[in-house]
């Protein structure tokens, strides 16, 4: 019961996080590409409930930020200009979940801009860019893991069920893929592509490459389950009654791999999100102006940004609860899964 409760808790936690990201247009106050060149590297604005006269306000408010005298990048709160935070306001147009036209935002202010997580070099809102960037990074992880598991399941089932020379050849190829330095291969692949690659092309390129590189480990695990499952008594009985190979795989053998595949999915998704972030950080992934968690961190390659603007680290902090959620889900799935017991040849004879 505790494993089941843990699984449900982690699943709800991840659903909430993904819901916020995939409804980024609602929770983000601005368009991620909208610039305000008058507010570069603006620090996060603090929410207040008490004004300077110690009066309590029922609604939170912020103070406008202004440049400190004698500086060009140091801001201070203008306590003479409190601005009330408004909820459910109309703002920039977006498509909720990618297809529903909408203008309603969770919060905003009138006659100005609010930066709860600061701004970047072009005055773009960091909160909006983190939320929209999460859509790209998480979608790359989900699609990449799905393709990897599809390829791994097909190859692992083929090798485990038929055995013989097919098993030997496919497992040697899997070992080769496990040994390949995939990051260097991506550098080489990028060298053969045009210098200017569109955001959509770059996104699908990342998904395809990380998916085709990572299939070997799930394939080996599926192969092990299939090798054990095909020796089960009910599979032998079904074969004796004339069941075909596709029927046995679909009805009796592949369902036994579901626990392994779900656990692998929970492990692979954060790994592929991190792979996308690494590629985009190095300039091989999704280019500007489309945000992703990787290219949001690319500004940290500049020493001045690295030491002066701490809020530019926030995209790296945001991914932590997602990683913890997926790892917790993988652990609970592993605890829930029934250990698959292999029959000895003596019992199977």
């Amino acid at each position: 019961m505790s494993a089941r409760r843990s699984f449900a808790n982690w699943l709800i936690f991840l659903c909430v996080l993904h819901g916020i990201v995939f409804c980024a247009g609602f929770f983000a106050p601005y368009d991620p590409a909208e610039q305000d060149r008058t507010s570069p590297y603006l620090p996060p604005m603090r929410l207040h409930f008490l004004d300077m006269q110690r009066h309590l306000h029922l609604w939170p408010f912020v103070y406008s930020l202004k440049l400190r005298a004698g500086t060009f990048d140091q801001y201070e709160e203008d306590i003479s200009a409190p601005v009330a935070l408004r909820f459910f306001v109309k703002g920039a147009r977006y498509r909720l979940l990618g297809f529903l036209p909408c203008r309603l935002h969770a919060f905003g202010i009138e006659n100005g801009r609010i930066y709860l997580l600061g701004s970047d070099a072009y005055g773009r809102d960091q909160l909006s860019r983190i939320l929209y960037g999460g859509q790209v990074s998480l979608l790359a992880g989900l699609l990449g893991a799905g393709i990897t598991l599809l390829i791994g399941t097909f190859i692992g089932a083929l090798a485990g069920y038929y055995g013989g020379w097919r098993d030997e050849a496919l497992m040697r190829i899997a070992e080769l893929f496990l040994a390949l330095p995939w990051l260097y291969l991506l550098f080489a692949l990028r060298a053969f592509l045009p210098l200017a690659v569109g955001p959509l092309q770059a996104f699908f390129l990342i998904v395809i490459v990380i998916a085709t590189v990572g299939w070997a480990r799930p394939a080996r695990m599926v192969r092990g389950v299939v090798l054990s499952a095909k020796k089960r008594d009910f599979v032998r009985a079904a074969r004796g009654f004339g069941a075909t190979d596709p029927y046995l795989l679909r009805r009796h053998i592949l369902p036994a791999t579901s626990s392994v595949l779900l656990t692998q999915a929970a492990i692979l998704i954060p790994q592929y999100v991190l792979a996308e972030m690494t590629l985009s950080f190095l300039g091989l992934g999704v280019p500007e102006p489309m945000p992703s968690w990787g290219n949001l961190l690319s500004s940290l390659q500049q020493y001045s940004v690295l030491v002066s603007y701490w809020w530019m680290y926030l995209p790296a902090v945001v991914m932590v609860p997602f990683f913890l959620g997926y790892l917790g889900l993988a652990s609970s799935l592993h605890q829930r899964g029934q250990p698959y017991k292999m029959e000895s040849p003596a019992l199977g004879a």
Side-chain angles (χ1 to χ4, degrees):
M1 182 61 70
S2 60
R4 184 176 301 176
R5 186 180 297 112
S6 174
F7 170 77
N9 291 338
W10 284 116
L11 186 61
I12 293 172
F13 176 69
L14 284 172
C15 287
V16 171
L17 292 179
H18 284 74
I20 293 173
V21 169
F22 288 119
C23 295
F26 174 72
F27 292 102
Y30 307 110
D31 186 283
E34 186 179 349
Q35 301 181 7
D36 181 11
R37 295 299 184 94
T38 63
S39 304
Y41 292 123
L42 202 71
M45 293 180 173
R46 293 183 296 173
L47 292 175
H48 298 271
F49 286 91
L50 290 173
D51 58 23
M52 300 306 296
Q53 288 76 34
R54 313 300 295 175
H55 294 156
L56 179 64
H57 292 248
L58 295 179
W59 296 101
F61 66 93
V62 296
Y63 289 115
S64 300
L65 296 177
K66 62 180 181 179
L67 279 173
R68 187 173 299 165
T71 66
F72 65 92
D73 63 349
Q74 300 295 316
Y75 295 87
E76 61 183 1
E77 290 183 334
D78 183 5
I79 59 176
S80 65
V83 183
L85 187 67
R86 305 295 183 187
F87 296 97
F88 304 109
V89 299
K90 289 187 177 181
R93 296 182 181 275
Y94 64 92
R95 291 187 177 274
L96 187 65
L97 299 176
F99 62 93
L100 293 175
C102 192
R103 290 188 59 187
L104 186 67
H105 295 261
F107 66 92
I109 62 174
E110 296 179 357
N111 303 322
R113 291 171 64 87
I114 181 171
Y115 297 99
L116 293 182
L117 296 183
S119 67
D120 64 3
Y122 302 100
R124 296 175 295 192
D125 178 49
Q126 276 287 91
L127 175 60
S128 301
R129 291 181 61 76
I130 287 173
L131 290 174
Y132 277 97
Q135 292 183 339
V136 175
S137 297
L138 290 176
L139 189 59
L142 291 168
L143 290 178
I147 297 173
T148 290
L149 293 177
L150 186 64
I151 297 173
T153 301
F154 175 77
I155 294 177
L158 184 64
Y161 187 78
Y162 291 103
W165 65 268
R166 300 181 185 88
D167 186 18
E168 287 292 328
L170 291 174
M171 288 303 101
R172 298 297 81 77
I173 295 174
E175 291 172 0
L176 175 64
F177 269 79
L178 286 173
L180 284 175
W182 64 270
L183 186 59
Y184 296 103
L185 290 177
L186 292 176
F187 278 108
L189 178 63
R190 186 66 180 89
F192 288 98
L193 295 174
L195 292 178
V197 178
L200 191 61
Q201 294 173 315
F203 173 78
F204 284 111
L205 175 65
I206 290 174
V207 171
I208 292 172
V209 170
I210 63 178
T212 53
V213 167
W215 61 266
R217 195 175 302 278
R220 289 169 64 89
M221 299 187 72
V222 169
R223 169 185 174 270
V225 175
V226 172
L227 280 173
S228 177
K230 73 177 185 179
K231 299 177 182 179
R232 305 282 289 187
D233 290 339
F234 61 87
V235 175
R236 291 180 173 181
R239 186 183 291 112
F241 282 109
T244 62
D245 290 344
Y247 177 85
L248 290 174
L249 285 168
R250 185 183 71 254
R251 193 66 184 270
H252 297 299
I253 296 178
L254 289 182
T257 66
S258 60
S259 178
V260 169
L261 292 176
L262 288 174
T263 305
Q264 282 295 298
I267 295 173
L268 287 174
I269 290 173
Q271 289 182 356
Y272 285 175
V273 171
L274 185 60
E276 185 281 327
M277 292 176 64
T278 303
L279 294 176
S280 296
F281 177 80
L282 296 175
L284 298 175
V286 179
E288 292 280 3
M290 179 183 289
S292 79
W293 286 345
N295 61 30
L296 286 179
L297 292 170
S298 62
S299 62
L300 295 177
Q301 298 179 48
Q302 305 174 32
Y303 180 75
S304 59
V305 177
L306 191 68
V307 300
S308 301
Y309 311 118
W310 61 266
W311 56 93
M312 302 303 294
Y313 290 89
L314 293 178
V317 177
V318 169
M319 71 182 184
V320 173
F322 288 91
F323 281 24
L324 293 177
Y326 274 111
L327 294 178
L329 185 65
S331 177
S332 62
L333 282 169
H334 181 71
Q335 293 175 7
R336 289 183 71 225
Q338 295 294 330
Y340 205 86
K341 299 180 180 179
M342 298 181 62
E343 294 181 350
S344 65
L347 292 175

